[in-house]
Amino acid sequence: MSETIVAIATPPGSGAIAILRISGPEAIPLVDQLFQGNSRPPLMESRRAYLGTIVHEEQILDEVLLTIFRAPKSYTGEDVVEISGHGGALMIARLLEAVLRKGARLARPGEFTQRAYLHGKMDLTQAEAVMDLISAKTSHAQRIALEHRSGRLGQEMEKIKQELLKIVAHLEAFFDFPEDDITPEQGRLLRTRMESCRHQIVALLSTAEKGRLLRDGASLVLCGAPNVGKSSLLNKFLEMDRAIVSPTAGTTRDTIEEMTILGGFPFRIIDTAGIRLTEDLIEREGVLRAEKAIKNADDVLHLIDATDIEETMVPISEGELLIFNKVDLITNRASLQKKFPSALMISCATGEGMETLIATVIERAMGKTGPFNEATPSLLAINARHQDCLNRALNSIEKALVVEATHEPLELLAIDLHDALEAVGEVTGGVDSEEILGTIFSSFCIGK
Ligand code: GDP
């Protein structure tokens, strides 16, 4: 970790400013070899910008502003230097090259944040939130990321950890005096504490679904017979012509997936091949994929051609949202609605019914997670990694509860509680494994 790393911290392309970020023990001496100005980097004050030029091999590369953040008061907890240059792609690349020539190494994706974690500047949930903030596609996802960035989840985990530690300490006292039996009252206290931990973990686990839906988006499968207007509806959702709309049945042979935001919520909309019996091998493969997508979907929109109900009414499975499309072409709408009261009537051609459809789709997706809107106070929503750790912790606590209830030796109880503590600790850190850290930080961008 003692290597000095460098990366361009601003996005590729040209802009007003481009920033080079350098972190590590050699950051300041290294920049001292390149910077020319009224003050020398080792003598500069922290967190103050200094104007000067970067000169390499007797060539002026750029006029820059230099800012030094001395350890430990920096993003990574190490000495950090930021060089703000003019935002030309070539200029910043030449600055980067000069710094590399002086002995820094190019940072790996997420390495700055990984160093911040390893220097105790933030816990793992906060580090993950940095990435979530950068990749947030909706304001809800952004709010969750900000909440996690503030360390709220870490605080919740700390509470559970402290509670578990109290129980373990309680047990250790018994091991020191093995002749004393645990009294029924002490047994009850142990149990209450374990139940309380269990309760807190279950509450956090219940936010996982919300986290998944708000981060990755709910998957919405469009299904129905060929030609009912699935591709047209996908386009309507996306407000662009991504799928091929054609009057020939069976055009969409594969599944097409597109991400879109409806009413502030992310959705992955999957357009499937029309489901019908077919001899065409490629089309059959498409139908198989459609069936698989339906099985894994968060919601299924089942489209029927309102002008051709007999032909397009394929079997509807329970839970699917029934939609009659092409209502611009029919005159018997009232009787159709009476016959299918829960069905929605839309027209991809005129846009009629789309607002109600979108509101319904959001309500159905969020129905799974409880209401969620601007006023929702708690924005903790755990991710898949937190969920995995907490499931293991829950499992161990439940085992401990059984051990206590069946009056098995207290040593067994202690083992389960230690396992629970370890799993809870993994949420915020306490993870040294290169492999786990590598997996978490590799999804970051370089320079973060
Ligand atoms: P898919 O095979 O289910 O994906 O159906 P498409 O989206 O390719 O649509 C089949 C045909 O129906 C195309 O010619 C569309 O222009 C037409 N179509 C789709 N929706 C509507 C609608 O609401 N009204 C009318 N009049 N035509 C539609």
PDB file of all heavy atoms in Angstrom, residues 24-49:
ATOM      1  N   GLY A  24      -0.349   8.984  -1.834  1.00  0.00           N
ATOM      2  CA  GLY A  24       0.696   8.082  -1.354  1.00  0.00           C
ATOM      3  C   GLY A  24       1.843   8.863  -0.750  1.00  0.00           C
ATOM      4  O   GLY A  24       1.895  10.093  -0.832  1.00  0.00           O
ATOM      5  N   PRO A  25       2.803   8.146  -0.148  1.00  0.00           N
ATOM      6  CA  PRO A  25       3.886   8.818   0.579  1.00  0.00           C
ATOM      7  C   PRO A  25       4.766   9.702  -0.307  1.00  0.00           C
ATOM      8  O   PRO A  25       5.359  10.666   0.175  1.00  0.00           O
ATOM      9  CB  PRO A  25       4.694   7.651   1.166  1.00  0.00           C
ATOM     10  CG  PRO A  25       4.274   6.451   0.405  1.00  0.00           C
ATOM     11  CD  PRO A  25       2.885   6.684  -0.050  1.00  0.00           C
ATOM     12  N   GLU A  26       4.856   9.382  -1.598  1.00  0.00           N
ATOM     13  CA  GLU A  26       5.728  10.155  -2.490  1.00  0.00           C
ATOM     14  C   GLU A  26       4.983  11.266  -3.220  1.00  0.00           C
ATOM     15  O   GLU A  26       5.554  11.944  -4.078  1.00  0.00           O
ATOM     16  CB  GLU A  26       6.383   9.227  -3.529  1.00  0.00           C
ATOM     17  CG  GLU A  26       7.399   8.243  -2.948  1.00  0.00           C
ATOM     18  CD  GLU A  26       8.500   8.948  -2.172  1.00  0.00           C
ATOM     19  OE1 GLU A  26       9.052   9.936  -2.696  1.00  0.00           O
ATOM     20  OE2 GLU A  26       8.777   8.548  -1.031  1.00  0.00           O
ATOM     21  N   ALA A  27       3.677  11.430  -2.921  1.00  0.00           N
ATOM     22  CA  ALA A  27       2.871  12.374  -3.703  1.00  0.00           C
ATOM     23  C   ALA A  27       3.490  13.776  -3.701  1.00  0.00           C
ATOM     24  O   ALA A  27       3.638  14.391  -4.758  1.00  0.00           O
ATOM     25  CB  ALA A  27       1.442  12.405  -3.161  1.00  0.00           C
ATOM     26  N   ILE A  28       3.865  14.276  -2.516  1.00  0.00           N
ATOM     27  CA  ILE A  28       4.354  15.663  -2.437  1.00  0.00           C
ATOM     28  C   ILE A  28       5.765  15.799  -3.037  1.00  0.00           C
ATOM     29  O   ILE A  28       5.973  16.644  -3.918  1.00  0.00           O
ATOM     30  CB  ILE A  28       4.263  16.193  -0.980  1.00  0.00           C
ATOM     31  CG1 ILE A  28       2.778  16.192  -0.546  1.00  0.00           C
ATOM     32  CG2 ILE A  28       4.873  17.591  -0.874  1.00  0.00           C
ATOM     33  CD1 ILE A  28       2.544  16.502   0.901  1.00  0.00           C
ATOM     34  N   PRO A  29       6.748  14.942  -2.639  1.00  0.00           N
ATOM     35  CA  PRO A  29       8.075  15.058  -3.274  1.00  0.00           C
ATOM     36  C   PRO A  29       8.026  14.875  -4.786  1.00  0.00           C
ATOM     37  O   PRO A  29       8.774  15.531  -5.519  1.00  0.00           O
ATOM     38  CB  PRO A  29       8.903  13.948  -2.614  1.00  0.00           C
ATOM     39  CG  PRO A  29       8.059  13.298  -1.606  1.00  0.00           C
ATOM     40  CD  PRO A  29       6.744  13.972  -1.541  1.00  0.00           C
ATOM     41  N   LEU A  30       7.127  14.011  -5.230  1.00  0.00           N
ATOM     42  CA  LEU A  30       7.032  13.751  -6.666  1.00  0.00           C
ATOM     43  C   LEU A  30       6.572  15.002  -7.428  1.00  0.00           C
ATOM     44  O   LEU A  30       7.165  15.402  -8.428  1.00  0.00           O
ATOM     45  CB  LEU A  30       6.030  12.601  -6.842  1.00  0.00           C
ATOM     46  CG  LEU A  30       5.859  11.952  -8.195  1.00  0.00           C
ATOM     47  CD1 LEU A  30       5.362  10.523  -7.997  1.00  0.00           C
ATOM     48  CD2 LEU A  30       4.882  12.703  -9.046  1.00  0.00           C
ATOM     49  N   VAL A  31       5.525  15.658  -6.877  1.00  0.00           N
ATOM     50  CA  VAL A  31       5.007  16.854  -7.546  1.00  0.00           C
ATOM     51  C   VAL A  31       6.017  17.996  -7.423  1.00  0.00           C
ATOM     52  O   VAL A  31       6.119  18.850  -8.296  1.00  0.00           O
ATOM     53  CB  VAL A  31       3.621  17.226  -6.954  1.00  0.00           C
ATOM     54  CG1 VAL A  31       3.138  18.551  -7.513  1.00  0.00           C
ATOM     55  CG2 VAL A  31       2.615  16.144  -7.276  1.00  0.00           C
ATOM     56  N   ASP A  32       6.816  17.959  -6.354  1.00  0.00           N
ATOM     57  CA  ASP A  32       7.855  18.975  -6.152  1.00  0.00           C
ATOM     58  C   ASP A  32       8.833  18.990  -7.343  1.00  0.00           C
ATOM     59  O   ASP A  32       9.386  20.029  -7.698  1.00  0.00           O
ATOM     60  CB  ASP A  32       8.591  18.678  -4.841  1.00  0.00           C
ATOM     61  CG  ASP A  32       9.505  19.823  -4.433  1.00  0.00           C
ATOM     62  OD1 ASP A  32       9.204  20.989  -4.813  1.00  0.00           O
ATOM     63  OD2 ASP A  32      10.521  19.565  -3.760  1.00  0.00           O
ATOM     64  N   GLN A  33       9.032  17.812  -7.954  1.00  0.00           N
ATOM     65  CA  GLN A  33       9.963  17.735  -9.091  1.00  0.00           C
ATOM     66  C   GLN A  33       9.358  18.336 -10.366  1.00  0.00           C
ATOM     67  O   GLN A  33      10.062  18.578 -11.328  1.00  0.00           O
ATOM     68  CB  GLN A  33      10.309  16.276  -9.393  1.00  0.00           C
ATOM     69  CG  GLN A  33      11.003  15.548  -8.261  1.00  0.00           C
ATOM     70  CD  GLN A  33      11.171  14.073  -8.605  1.00  0.00           C
ATOM     71  OE1 GLN A  33      11.675  13.737  -9.672  1.00  0.00           O
ATOM     72  NE2 GLN A  33      10.737  13.199  -7.717  1.00  0.00           N
ATOM     73  N   LEU A  34       8.023  18.515 -10.372  1.00  0.00           N
ATOM     74  CA  LEU A  34       7.362  18.961 -11.609  1.00  0.00           C
ATOM     75  C   LEU A  34       6.797  20.372 -11.526  1.00  0.00           C
ATOM     76  O   LEU A  34       6.587  21.023 -12.549  1.00  0.00           O
ATOM     77  CB  LEU A  34       6.195  18.004 -11.948  1.00  0.00           C
ATOM     78  CG  LEU A  34       6.551  16.552 -12.268  1.00  0.00           C
ATOM     79  CD1 LEU A  34       5.298  15.683 -12.246  1.00  0.00           C
ATOM     80  CD2 LEU A  34       7.229  16.459 -13.636  1.00  0.00           C
ATOM     81  N   PHE A  35       6.518  20.833 -10.292  1.00  0.00           N
ATOM     82  CA  PHE A  35       5.792  22.106 -10.130  1.00  0.00           C
ATOM     83  C   PHE A  35       6.744  23.292 -10.032  1.00  0.00           C
ATOM     84  O   PHE A  35       7.739  23.241  -9.309  1.00  0.00           O
ATOM     85  CB  PHE A  35       4.916  22.029  -8.865  1.00  0.00           C
ATOM     86  CG  PHE A  35       4.063  23.239  -8.630  1.00  0.00           C
ATOM     87  CD1 PHE A  35       2.842  23.392  -9.282  1.00  0.00           C
ATOM     88  CD2 PHE A  35       4.473  24.247  -7.750  1.00  0.00           C
ATOM     89  CE1 PHE A  35       2.057  24.508  -9.060  1.00  0.00           C
ATOM     90  CE2 PHE A  35       3.697  25.364  -7.530  1.00  0.00           C
ATOM     91  CZ  PHE A  35       2.472  25.494  -8.183  1.00  0.00           C
ATOM     92  N   GLN A  36       6.426  24.349 -10.731  1.00  0.00           N
ATOM     93  CA  GLN A  36       7.198  25.598 -10.589  1.00  0.00           C
ATOM     94  C   GLN A  36       6.239  26.739 -10.289  1.00  0.00           C
ATOM     95  O   GLN A  36       5.291  26.969 -11.052  1.00  0.00           O
ATOM     96  CB  GLN A  36       7.973  25.894 -11.874  1.00  0.00           C
ATOM     97  CG  GLN A  36       9.139  24.934 -12.054  1.00  0.00           C
ATOM     98  CD  GLN A  36      10.017  25.276 -13.234  1.00  0.00           C
ATOM     99  OE1 GLN A  36       9.822  26.301 -13.888  1.00  0.00           O
ATOM    100  NE2 GLN A  36      10.975  24.420 -13.505  1.00  0.00           N
ATOM    101  N   GLY A  37       6.482  27.425  -9.147  1.00  0.00           N
ATOM    102  CA  GLY A  37       5.603  28.522  -8.751  1.00  0.00           C
ATOM    103  C   GLY A  37       6.254  29.295  -7.638  1.00  0.00           C
ATOM    104  O   GLY A  37       7.453  29.119  -7.367  1.00  0.00           O
ATOM    105  N   ASN A  38       5.445  30.136  -6.959  1.00  0.00           N
ATOM    106  CA  ASN A  38       6.016  30.957  -5.890  1.00  0.00           C
ATOM    107  C   ASN A  38       6.346  30.160  -4.644  1.00  0.00           C
ATOM    108  O   ASN A  38       7.126  30.602  -3.805  1.00  0.00           O
ATOM    109  CB  ASN A  38       5.040  32.083  -5.524  1.00  0.00           C
ATOM    110  CG  ASN A  38       5.012  33.118  -6.630  1.00  0.00           C
ATOM    111  OD1 ASN A  38       5.963  33.224  -7.405  1.00  0.00           O
ATOM    112  ND2 ASN A  38       3.917  33.855  -6.717  1.00  0.00           N
ATOM    113  N   SER A  39       5.725  29.018  -4.501  1.00  0.00           N
ATOM    114  CA  SER A  39       5.979  28.209  -3.310  1.00  0.00           C
ATOM    115  C   SER A  39       6.295  26.776  -3.740  1.00  0.00           C
ATOM    116  O   SER A  39       5.862  26.336  -4.817  1.00  0.00           O
ATOM    117  CB  SER A  39       4.727  28.240  -2.426  1.00  0.00           C
ATOM    118  OG  SER A  39       4.910  27.427  -1.313  1.00  0.00           O
ATOM    119  N   ARG A  40       7.040  26.066  -2.908  1.00  0.00           N
ATOM    120  CA  ARG A  40       7.335  24.664  -3.257  1.00  0.00           C
ATOM    121  C   ARG A  40       6.367  23.747  -2.518  1.00  0.00           C
ATOM    122  O   ARG A  40       6.055  23.990  -1.343  1.00  0.00           O
ATOM    123  CB  ARG A  40       8.784  24.351  -2.880  1.00  0.00           C
ATOM    124  CG  ARG A  40       9.774  25.050  -3.812  1.00  0.00           C
ATOM    125  CD  ARG A  40      11.156  24.528  -3.595  1.00  0.00           C
ATOM    126  NE  ARG A  40      11.215  23.063  -3.574  1.00  0.00           N
ATOM    127  CZ  ARG A  40      12.283  22.380  -3.184  1.00  0.00           C
ATOM    128  NH1 ARG A  40      13.370  23.005  -2.776  1.00  0.00           N
ATOM    129  NH2 ARG A  40      12.281  21.058  -3.204  1.00  0.00           N
ATOM    130  N   PRO A  41       5.908  22.677  -3.172  1.00  0.00           N
ATOM    131  CA  PRO A  41       4.896  21.800  -2.560  1.00  0.00           C
ATOM    132  C   PRO A  41       5.179  21.379  -1.120  1.00  0.00           C
ATOM    133  O   PRO A  41       4.279  21.439  -0.287  1.00  0.00           O
ATOM    134  CB  PRO A  41       4.831  20.614  -3.524  1.00  0.00           C
ATOM    135  CG  PRO A  41       5.156  21.225  -4.852  1.00  0.00           C
ATOM    136  CD  PRO A  41       6.178  22.291  -4.569  1.00  0.00           C
ATOM    137  N   PRO A  42       6.412  20.992  -0.743  1.00  0.00           N
ATOM    138  CA  PRO A  42       6.614  20.554   0.651  1.00  0.00           C
ATOM    139  C   PRO A  42       6.341  21.686   1.650  1.00  0.00           C
ATOM    140  O   PRO A  42       6.092  21.421   2.824  1.00  0.00           O
ATOM    141  CB  PRO A  42       8.087  20.147   0.688  1.00  0.00           C
ATOM    142  CG  PRO A  42       8.462  19.870  -0.721  1.00  0.00           C
ATOM    143  CD  PRO A  42       7.645  20.796  -1.550  1.00  0.00           C
ATOM    144  N   LEU A  43       6.404  22.947   1.177  1.00  0.00           N
ATOM    145  CA  LEU A  43       6.197  24.075   2.091  1.00  0.00           C
ATOM    146  C   LEU A  43       4.765  24.623   2.026  1.00  0.00           C
ATOM    147  O   LEU A  43       4.403  25.516   2.791  1.00  0.00           O
ATOM    148  CB  LEU A  43       7.187  25.214   1.749  1.00  0.00           C
ATOM    149  CG  LEU A  43       8.655  24.801   1.689  1.00  0.00           C
ATOM    150  CD1 LEU A  43       9.527  25.941   1.182  1.00  0.00           C
ATOM    151  CD2 LEU A  43       9.134  24.354   3.078  1.00  0.00           C
ATOM    152  N   MET A  44       3.975  24.108   1.110  1.00  0.00           N
ATOM    153  CA  MET A  44       2.625  24.652   0.933  1.00  0.00           C
ATOM    154  C   MET A  44       1.718  24.276   2.094  1.00  0.00           C
ATOM    155  O   MET A  44       1.861  23.213   2.688  1.00  0.00           O
ATOM    156  CB  MET A  44       1.997  24.093  -0.360  1.00  0.00           C
ATOM    157  CG  MET A  44       2.586  24.674  -1.615  1.00  0.00           C
ATOM    158  SD  MET A  44       1.843  23.840  -3.043  1.00  0.00           S
ATOM    159  CE  MET A  44       2.781  24.598  -4.361  1.00  0.00           C
ATOM    160  N   GLU A  45       0.740  25.154   2.350  1.00  0.00           N
ATOM    161  CA  GLU A  45      -0.286  24.836   3.353  1.00  0.00           C
ATOM    162  C   GLU A  45      -1.232  23.783   2.787  1.00  0.00           C
ATOM    163  O   GLU A  45      -1.447  23.750   1.576  1.00  0.00           O
ATOM    164  CB  GLU A  45      -1.139  26.079   3.622  1.00  0.00           C
ATOM    165  CG  GLU A  45      -0.590  27.005   4.665  1.00  0.00           C
ATOM    166  CD  GLU A  45      -1.522  28.189   4.816  1.00  0.00           C
ATOM    167  OE1 GLU A  45      -2.727  27.985   5.030  1.00  0.00           O
ATOM    168  OE2 GLU A  45      -1.027  29.326   4.658  1.00  0.00           O
ATOM    169  N   SER A  46      -1.836  22.988   3.667  1.00  0.00           N
ATOM    170  CA  SER A  46      -2.828  22.007   3.208  1.00  0.00           C
ATOM    171  C   SER A  46      -4.100  22.726   2.781  1.00  0.00           C
ATOM    172  O   SER A  46      -4.434  23.783   3.322  1.00  0.00           O
ATOM    173  CB  SER A  46      -3.176  21.034   4.324  1.00  0.00           C
ATOM    174  OG  SER A  46      -2.125  20.125   4.507  1.00  0.00           O
ATOM    175  N   ARG A  47      -4.792  22.122   1.847  1.00  0.00           N
ATOM    176  CA  ARG A  47      -6.118  22.569   1.392  1.00  0.00           C
ATOM    177  C   ARG A  47      -6.129  24.027   0.930  1.00  0.00           C
ATOM    178  O   ARG A  47      -7.079  24.752   1.170  1.00  0.00           O
ATOM    179  CB  ARG A  47      -7.164  22.348   2.488  1.00  0.00           C
ATOM    180  CG  ARG A  47      -7.342  20.877   2.849  1.00  0.00           C
ATOM    181  CD  ARG A  47      -8.543  20.647   3.699  1.00  0.00           C
ATOM    182  NE  ARG A  47      -8.416  21.258   5.007  1.00  0.00           N
ATOM    183  CZ  ARG A  47      -7.716  20.736   6.001  1.00  0.00           C
ATOM    184  NH1 ARG A  47      -7.100  19.575   5.835  1.00  0.00           N
ATOM    185  NH2 ARG A  47      -7.634  21.355   7.158  1.00  0.00           N
ATOM    186  N   ARG A  48      -5.034  24.470   0.280  1.00  0.00           N
ATOM    187  CA  ARG A  48      -4.990  25.800  -0.316  1.00  0.00           C
ATOM    188  C   ARG A  48      -4.503  25.653  -1.740  1.00  0.00           C
ATOM    189  O   ARG A  48      -3.615  24.835  -2.004  1.00  0.00           O
ATOM    190  CB  ARG A  48      -4.009  26.678   0.477  1.00  0.00           C
ATOM    191  CG  ARG A  48      -4.579  28.017   0.848  1.00  0.00           C
ATOM    192  CD  ARG A  48      -3.539  28.894   1.467  1.00  0.00           C
ATOM    193  NE  ARG A  48      -3.092  29.875   0.500  1.00  0.00           N
ATOM    194  CZ  ARG A  48      -2.237  30.840   0.780  1.00  0.00           C
ATOM    195  NH1 ARG A  48      -1.712  30.931   1.985  1.00  0.00           N
ATOM    196  NH2 ARG A  48      -1.903  31.718  -0.132  1.00  0.00           N
ATOM    197  N   ALA A  49      -5.103  26.409  -2.640  1.00  0.00           N
ATOM    198  CA  ALA A  49      -4.726  26.257  -4.044  1.00  0.00           C
ATOM    199  C   ALA A  49      -3.577  27.188  -4.403  1.00  0.00           C
ATOM    200  O   ALA A  49      -3.585  28.359  -4.018  1.00  0.00           O
ATOM    201  CB  ALA A  49      -5.937  26.544  -4.929  1.00  0.00           C
TER     202      ALA A  49
END
